[in-house]
Amino acid sequence: MIRVTLPPHLRKLAHVDGEVKLDVAGQITQRSVLDALEARYPMLRGTIRDHVTQRRRAFVRFFACGEDLSHESPDAPLPDAVAIGAESFMIVGAIAGG
Amino acid sequence: MSGVRVLVGTRKGAFILTSDEKRKKWEVSSPHFAGWEMYHLKGSPAEPNRLYASQSSSWFGQIIQRSDDGGKTWHQPGTPPGEPTTAPDGTPKGESNKFAYDTSAETGKPLTTHQWYDGTPHPWEFKRVWHLEPSLTDPDTVYAGVEDAALFRSTDGGQNWQELAGLRGHGSGDKWAPGAGGMCLHTVLLDPSNHERMFVAISSAGAFRTDDAGKTWRPINRGLHSLYIPDPTAEIGHCVHRIAMHGSRPDVLFMQKHWDVMRSDDGGESWHEISGNLPTDFGFAIDVHAHEPDTIYVVPIKSDSEHFPLDGKLRVYRSRSGGNEWEALTKGLPQSDCYVNVLRDAMAVDSLDKCGVYFGTTGGQVYASTDAGDNWAPIVRDLPPVVSVEVQTPP
């Protein structure tokens, strides 16, 4: 079970409270986690990754286990602690005013 | 529905204001989509309880929301939560927030760049939906004017969007350039007498018309004169801020341009200036009285560098002669120390016997007049900055 933490705007959009828990098949990577997230919550498609390019949106960051994973390859394995559900994969909106 | 429903888009959420036909007491809803930029909400003329809303964020992109009960509840049209996002044959199901430019050779042209502010080629990038224009007859058909400028259409209630690529591909698209607010397609006018005809306007490219339901387009900017571009009478490059039309007379168009208030009497084939005695002819919003096609409203703004009313006095100007002769409407509006702006989509009229006129400000006020502009009062005065105002009245 993979745990994913969404920023408040996306929690509201997906109608969820707290963490999201996902079954993810195969290797646990950013791509496989986000694919599973979007399959479960299709209203989130396009909000984290661009619809067309599938690249992370500029103001969205990924963190886990105290590390910034935003610039890692989407196909790189996520930390073991995320893969076994001990830690959450955090999707965070960049801090900015407004 | 009875009475009046005002749909207000703001920088931090949407609000629905309701009143009976007297328009004296108003209920203000809690914010819908709190914290999101709500560029535009509009109801279907064919089914007033069908509302469409553009919800966007610099962080999370574009969302389309739909209500089928007059704004009480909303949902994103498209694939419901938990359902497969692909059909059994493997094709993707509806993604209501997917606005993908058409670059196919069959329906469009592989147009990849427009001009950047400095004139260099810049790739086309979708940013947001500025304006939603529901069909006059079909609640499931709605048009979306987007940034970077293009026109999309949904015929399934907002589940899927297809670009009307003939607009970008008609020949001048590579010369379009953004205005200060971005390269947005902000005006979509549907001709009620001819379903094949539409008008759109783009900052800062100009106005365009189709006579075949969006397949082919051409610029309609003859007569516009813009001193801020190298060739002031060029076919392309005019910063049109808004166009308004009265449904009974669709060949007559009124335009608030970056500077100049303009009029066309021939469906945009030619334009002439009607700024007349306005104290400044810069502005954004323009609209037409619901029952008097020659009565028009603008809110003059000091200049392109000072986006607030002249002399700190918020004044709507009304012409009852289709332009040139204008009168200031001030009763009930602040006449000192007022430095708000009224944006292009933030003015609307109702269709009650005594036409109501409404506008919202960047200071968060929504003002209404129940007597065609003679007297004004705020409906609500402390919202986030208002981006758009639309009004619905009973059929």
Side-chain angles (χ1 to χ4, degrees), chain B residues 102-133:
Chain B
D102 182 350
T103 55
S104 66
E106 295 78 26
T107 53
K109 292 183 181 177
L111 184 63
T112 55
T113 63
H114 57 80
Q115 288 192 10
W116 195 231
Y117 291 95
D118 61 2
T120 56
H122 193 81
W124 232 280
E125 297 166 327
F126 173 81
K127 295 185 179 65
R128 61 177 58 82
V129 172
W130 277 66
H131 184 95
L132 289 161
E133 189 67 33

Side-chain angles (χ1 to χ4, degrees), chain B residues 238-314:
Chain B
H238 303 276
C239 194
V240 178
H241 283 182
R242 184 78 180 145
I243 303 177
M245 167 214 286
H246 191 278
S248 71
R249 212 173 52 175
D251 275 344
V252 179
L253 304 173
F254 299 102
M255 173 192 292
Q256 174 68 67
K257 194 161 66 68
H258 190 79
W259 291 98
D260 303 332
V261 179
M262 308 293 292
R263 171 175 174 150
S264 172
D265 292 301
D266 50 15
E269 296 290 341
S270 63
W271 297 87
H272 59 278
E273 188 173 355
I274 55 168
S275 302
N277 63 333
L278 286 172
T280 160
D281 59 14
F282 188 89
F284 293 94
I286 187 166
D287 215 334
V288 187
H289 189 290
H291 313 301
E292 300 171 10
D294 262 331
T295 297
I296 50 180
Y297 301 88
V298 294
V299 184
I301 296 297
K302 184 176 178 183
S303 72
D304 49 3
S305 56
E306 296 178 59
H307 283 186
F308 41 70
L310 201 62
D311 302 326
K313 300 176 179 178
L314 182 55

Side-chain angles (χ1 to χ4, degrees), chain A residues 7 9-10 12-13 38-40 42-43 45-47 51-52 57 59-60 93-98, chain B residues 12 34-36 55 57-61 63 65 76 79-83 85 95 97-100:
Chain A
H9 275 331
L10 297 189
K12 197 174 290 185
L13 209 58
E38 292 175 356
R40 177 68 185 84
M43 66 281 278
R45 299 185 80 174
T47 65
H51 269 301
V52 177
R57 291 183 58 81
F59 290 3
V60 173
I95 295 172
Chain B
K12 292 292 179 185
W36 291 74
Q55 172 185 6
S57 143
S58 298
W59 287 262
F60 308 117
I63 304 293
Q65 297 279 357
Q76 289 173 249
T79 312
E83 287 193 8
T85 52
E95 290 182 53
N97 60 340
K98 185 173 184 178
F99 292 85

Side-chain angles (χ1 to χ4, degrees), chain B residues 9-27:
Chain B
T10 80
R11 294 283 182 205
K12 292 292 179 185
F15 298 83
I16 299 180
L17 320 177
T18 49
S19 174
D20 63 20
E21 64 279 1
K22 293 177 185 169
R23 297 163 287 181
K24 296 299 181 194
K25 293 181 181 173
W26 291 87
E27 286 189 18

Side-chain angles (χ1 to χ4, degrees), chain B residues 67-387:
Chain B
S67 174
D68 296 327
D69 56 12
K72 294 185 184 72
T73 61
W74 294 84
H75 66 282
Q76 289 173 249
T79 312
E83 287 193 8
T85 52
T86 53
D89 64 359
T91 55
K93 288 164 76 173
E95 290 182 53
S96 58
N97 60 340
K98 185 173 184 178
F99 292 85
Y101 294 110
D102 182 350
T103 55
S104 66
E106 295 78 26
T107 53
K109 292 183 181 177
L111 184 63
T112 55
T113 63
H114 57 80
Q115 288 192 10
W116 195 231
Y117 291 95
D118 61 2
T120 56
H122 193 81
W124 232 280
E125 297 166 327
F126 173 81
K127 295 185 179 65
R128 61 177 58 82
V129 172
W130 277 66
H131 184 95
L132 289 161
E133 189 67 33
S135 157
L136 299 173
T137 54
D138 175 14
D140 283 337
T141 295
V142 55
Y143 298 87
V146 314
E147 176 188 357
D148 286 339
L151 184 65
F152 284 76
R153 176 171 60 197
S154 171
T155 56
D156 56 10
Q159 296 184 54
N160 292 279
W161 296 88
Q162 294 83 34
E163 186 191 0
L164 299 177
L167 174 61
R168 283 193 313 135
H170 83 270
S172 70
D174 61 344
K175 299 182 183 65
W176 299 355
M183 200 175 80
C184 53
L185 194 160
H186 49 71
T187 297
V188 182
L189 295 175
L190 309 177
D191 185 335
S193 66
N194 176 0
H195 291 175
E196 301 274 288
R197 176 173 281 192
M198 276 188 280
F199 304 89
V200 300
I202 296 168
S203 291
S204 82
F208 300 84
R209 193 181 85 197
T210 178
D211 292 314
D212 56 11
K215 292 186 193 70
T216 61
W217 295 81
R218 62 189 179 88
I220 49 166
N221 298 306
R222 191 178 304 133
L224 303 187
H225 190 264
S226 300
L227 292 172
Y228 47 83
I229 56 178
D231 174 3
T233 60
E235 187 178 45
I236 294 295
H238 303 276
C239 194
V240 178
H241 283 182
R242 184 78 180 145
I243 303 177
M245 167 214 286
H246 191 278
S248 71
R249 212 173 52 175
D251 275 344
V252 179
L253 304 173
F254 299 102
M255 173 192 292
Q256 174 68 67
K257 194 161 66 68
H258 190 79
W259 291 98
D260 303 332
V261 179
M262 308 293 292
R263 171 175 174 150
S264 172
D265 292 301
D266 50 15
E269 296 290 341
S270 63
W271 297 87
H272 59 278
E273 188 173 355
I274 55 168
S275 302
N277 63 333
L278 286 172
T280 160
D281 59 14
F282 188 89
F284 293 94
I286 187 166
D287 215 334
V288 187
H289 189 290
H291 313 301
E292 300 171 10
D294 262 331
T295 297
I296 50 180
Y297 301 88
V298 294
V299 184
I301 296 297
K302 184 176 178 183
S303 72
D304 49 3
S305 56
E306 296 178 59
H307 283 186
F308 41 70
L310 201 62
D311 302 326
K313 300 176 179 178
L314 182 55
R315 290 171 291 187
V316 175
Y317 275 72
R318 177 175 63 195
S319 172
R320 292 187 181 278
S321 55
N324 286 319
E325 296 90 32
W326 299 87
E327 57 179 321
L329 308 174
T330 62
K331 289 179 185 172
L333 299 175
Q335 294 305 296
S336 63
D337 308 321
C338 182
Y339 294 94
V340 298
N341 194 3
V342 178
L343 298 178
R344 69 187 84 226
D345 235 349
M347 178 180 261
V349 298
D350 70 31
S351 57
L352 295 180
D353 285 346
K354 263 201 155 184
C355 176
V357 188
Y358 305 77
F359 70 92
T361 78
T362 54
Q365 302 87 27
V366 177
Y367 291 98
S369 168
T370 58
D371 52 13
D374 291 339
N375 295 280
W376 297 86
I379 302 176
V380 57
R381 56 187 323 147
D382 295 307
L383 299 183
V386 174
V387 181

